[in-house]
Amino acid sequence: MTQHPAFDRLAVFAVASLAATSAFALQPTSAVDLAQQGDDPAWAITEGLTTEIGPRPAGSDREAAARKWAVATLRNMGFANVRDEPYQMPVWERGEEKAWLTSPFLPQRLAITALGNSGSTGPEGIEGEVAYFASFDALTAAPDSAVKGKIVFIDHQMEPTQDGSGYGLYGRGRFMGPTVAAQKGAIAIVIRSIGTDNHRNPHAGVTNFAEGVAPIPAGAISNPDADQLVRQRNRAAGPIKLKLILTPKTIGERTSGNVIAEVPGRESAASPVIIACHLDSWDLATGAIDDAAGCGIIAAAAKHVMTAGQPRRTIRLLWAGAEEVGVFGGQAYFDAHGKEKHAVALESDFGADRVWRVDFNLPQSAADLQKRIGLALAPFGVVTGRGKAQGGADVGALIQAGVPAIDLQQDGSRYFDLHHTPDDTLDKIDPVQLRQNVVVWAATLSLLANSSDSELP
Amino acid sequence: MTQHPAFDRLAVFAVASLAATSAFALQPTSAVDLAQQGDDPAWAITEGLTTEIGPRPAGSDREAAARKWAVATLRNMGFANVRDEPYQMPVWERGEEKAWLTSPFLPQRLAITALGNSGSTGPEGIEGEVAYFASFDALTAAPDSAVKGKIVFIDHQMEPTQDGSGYGLYGRGRFMGPTVAAQKGAIAIVIRSIGTDNHRNPHAGVTNFAEGVAPIPAGAISNPDADQLVRQRNRAAGPIKLKLILTPKTIGERTSGNVIAEVPGRESAASPVIIACHLDSWDLATGAIDDAAGCGIIAAAAKHVMTAGQPRRTIRLLWAGAEEVGVFGGQAYFDAHGKEKHAVALESDFGADRVWRVDFNLPQSAADLQKRIGLALAPFGVVTGRGKAQGGADVGALIQAGVPAIDLQQDGSRYFDLHHTPDDTLDKIDPVQLRQNVVVWAATLSLLANSSDSELP
């Protein structure tokens, strides 16, 4: 790893500022060590996992290999109680995937990928007239007669936001569009990818058909392909047609697992701080930003806190399995450990770009701790948000059950350019921003892991 | 087409500046008309061709459909002598294309495309040890023993340049690498794409095996996939291996053709100005920047000159066929028309970004004309270069034979991000820059088509 002088200057400045706060005087972070040491465990983990294992689909042999790799790596780093906690989960496997615009012009191939849990067209494929909808809401509002026997297309191009808040709005086309289309009698559904790029990369992602709704073939086409469909529609006198070949299948239950590791705290009775990422990835790429980087960030930060001196509370790392296809790892963790007390939960699962905002969801007793964290992070360019921390998917059940949460919000401006595409590869990660994440996480973790029982449960 | 206020301001400024030069006073361009008219034929042609026809591989039914579309479009625009001049050419067809890194880690799929004229691996594919070379020169320098029985890999990442001059240096890996690898006994060759992007898009392109060299399988992998290969190589104790399935084939001679159209000049004895683009494209995308835009630019510019008043010389448009796979259209034009006199030749085949430099290769008699063109283009941000105009591929034989040439150099900074990839689609074209091309071409054409016989042959 090359040193990055710009970031080193930032860290030195930050440490000088931090030293002036009482929080820092009490609980030094390892920011100085980080800036001075030549190695970079966050990068090493991200590079290692994406290079040696590559794609890590949930429930696959590759995900199992990633767990082995993770256990060995976390032990090598000096973490305690490193283990693989297995569970069973249903597995859906991608098949062939092809699509063409077939009418009214010469057939043109489109870049498509099946959505997770998509039904199959069979090997011969299906062809049908396109029922166009500008948005998920337009589909919902349409009468069944506008959909029946057709292939639904949902347009609605996602716009980038720094906080990623568009995922909920635009994502409905993927999360719920297939169910609604199936309920109205569509033979298949194709959506414009939930993505902000303009490359010929479709964005994968899971859909969940509602109870009792038989899955129909469901795919996402890339933004340029969606543009092409729209242009053809604008030029066509009559209907336009699509042909689809999507042959995914469900293969039953398989083993997945959560890898857990700990920095043991000085006071074993104090509840642990839990920090999460997920080890699985979509199959189209090597899952660098989603979410090898997250695992790199939390492990590097925990390692720095451990190196700086044993913290009061235990820090527990959860490298969850099977997040992408339905948060099976997060649920398995909750089933096994949900009754244990947790002081606070955090997750890194939004890429590797810089942390720009911190959001809290802490009890009133933690008001001073919250202020100390805000002061500690400000020199790194992190502002305190006004919203309530939501936590990540893998700690979602814990937070739902009342565990306090902090979100170290990463800059999502380009996250949905890459999310779930073939382009989620190591070269997309900026080492300087990755390092900023580690410093911010280390500073936060240090304060949390040394917090008192009167501050956090 | 939306109007672009920024560009309209530019045009108005430019026209005001031009009016002060004698060249402009003598031969008004249609820049004012262009800025004021709501339609945009360059965009309309680029959009129409890429939307209605899409990919246009040389010698295919799609290229034939593109010629029909072109003849109808050029007639509709009011050009004269519009015709399709057919010729025969050998056709190579892409087959299946897959690649994996198979050792020493779990198999990982790579994004690959076969190079034009690649041999076939057969449907079962081949697997072999990788012989790594940092560049084409390193391959050339290697002993046969380092290559024999292996799959050659040429690294060497292309850097962007504004004038595209890197294509020659880096392109040798594709142009000549397969021949050299075959001569040294390689069983196949894979190159890092000749491209400057970091997307999972391989860059297609032709290679020509030297006389007597039997084609071996030859493919290009995307830059992120090449990075991955290099990282695995750095981590592997022993050799790394590739598996390839590439099943292209040659299918014999097929019909291609050149579409020709004219703006007839006032003086039929004066030699014509020839302006070229190419109608064929690679098959992975719709060929928007390569080269639908070029055809749009030259036709829009010629149309503006025609609308402004009949020029002295004829302007002949050559929408050439089969450029990508060996400039068969350009050669066919030369075979049919090479003995006719041509005043000067120009080609637009470098994307749709703004013209930033003009280069000349004119006789001494055209010194004042050259100065007038330089003055006319300066207000559009075009500088006069110090190099000699090379002309484009389709007019290359004419220029070789002594026809004067002018290059309206487009900004190539991002051209090789898109060149020959699945990403060469309409959305990559900036309408404002496309329009600048048309204005610059119209101004240049107006001066050339009204030049005297004492200036140009």
Side-chain angles (χ1 to χ4, degrees), chain B residues 53-68:
Chain B
I53 312 294
R56 304 173 297 281
S60 72
D61 292 350
R62 307 187 73 97
E63 194 198 27
R67 283 197 298 284
K68 272 196 185 167

Side-chain angles (χ1 to χ4, degrees), chain A residues 160-209:
Chain A
T161 56
Q162 192 174 14
D163 67 359
S165 55
Y167 195 35
L169 173 70
Y170 299 98
R172 294 175 306 155
R174 192 186 87 216
F175 311 145
M176 298 188 283
T179 290
V180 174
Q183 285 171 331
K184 290 180 188 284
I187 59 171
I189 178 170
V190 171
I191 62 169
R192 181 188 281 271
S193 282
I194 312 303
T196 50
D197 62 301
N198 68 343
H199 298 291
R200 297 285 301 287
N201 285 323
H203 293 238
V206 79
T207 192
N208 285 299
F209 287 93

Side-chain angles (χ1 to χ4, degrees), chain A residues 52 62 107 199-200 235 422-423, chain B residues 52 62 107 199-200 422-423:
Chain A
E52 296 190 9
R62 308 188 73 98
H199 298 291
R200 297 285 301 287
R235 282 170 177 262
D423 255 349
Chain B
E52 296 190 8
R62 307 187 73 97
H199 299 291
R200 298 286 300 289
D423 255 349

Side-chain angles (χ1 to χ4, degrees), chain A residues 293-382:
Chain A
C295 293
I297 290 164
I298 68 167
K303 165 86 176 164
H304 286 301
V305 173
M306 179 164 65
T307 305
Q310 191 177 21
R312 186 179 165 270
R313 296 176 187 272
T314 292
I315 299 171
R316 183 178 292 171
L317 286 72
L318 167 61
W319 285 14
E323 189 269 349
E324 292 295 1
V325 293
V327 199
F328 293 100
Q331 188 58 46
Y333 179 85
F334 186 76
D335 292 345
H337 303 281
K339 298 231 166 77
E340 301 166 23
K341 250 172 88 175
H342 292 81
V344 58
L346 298 84
E347 180 154 4
S348 179
D349 181 21
F350 198 54
D353 282 350
R354 64 182 283 274
V355 176
W356 66 283
R357 198 179 76 195
V358 54
D359 294 323
F360 297 95
N361 181 8
L362 301 181
Q364 190 50 43
S365 57
D368 186 66
L369 174 64
Q370 180 165 323
K371 202 179 288 175
R372 295 202 305 277
I373 293 173
L375 280 170
L377 300 193
F380 300 99
V382 181

Side-chain angles (χ1 to χ4, degrees), chain A residues 398-442:
Chain A
L398 289 173
I399 293 166
Q400 198 74 19
V403 174
I406 297 178
D407 290 345
L408 296 171
Q409 286 277 8
Q410 294 165 289
D411 191 326
S413 304
R414 64 182 190 125
Y415 183 69
F416 288 103
D417 288 354
L418 306 170
H419 181 246
H420 297 184
T421 73
D423 255 349
D424 181 4
T425 48
L426 185 67
D427 53 283
K428 307 309 183 303
I429 292 181
D430 172 2
V432 178
Q433 294 194 64
L434 180 69
R435 189 170 274 242
Q436 188 261 16
N437 271 271
V438 175
V439 175
V440 166
W441 269 81

Side-chain angles (χ1 to χ4, degrees), chain B residues 203-218:
Chain B
H203 292 239
V206 79
T207 192
N208 286 297
F209 287 93
E211 195 79 24
V213 176
I216 56 173

Side-chain angles (χ1 to χ4, degrees), chain A residues 108 200 228, chain B residues 50 54-56 281-282 284-288 292 424-426:
Chain A
Q108 287 189 38
R200 297 285 301 287
Q228 183 77 334
Chain B
T50 56
R56 304 173 297 281
S281 78
W282 276 102
L284 303 179
T286 58
D424 180 3
T425 48
L426 186 66

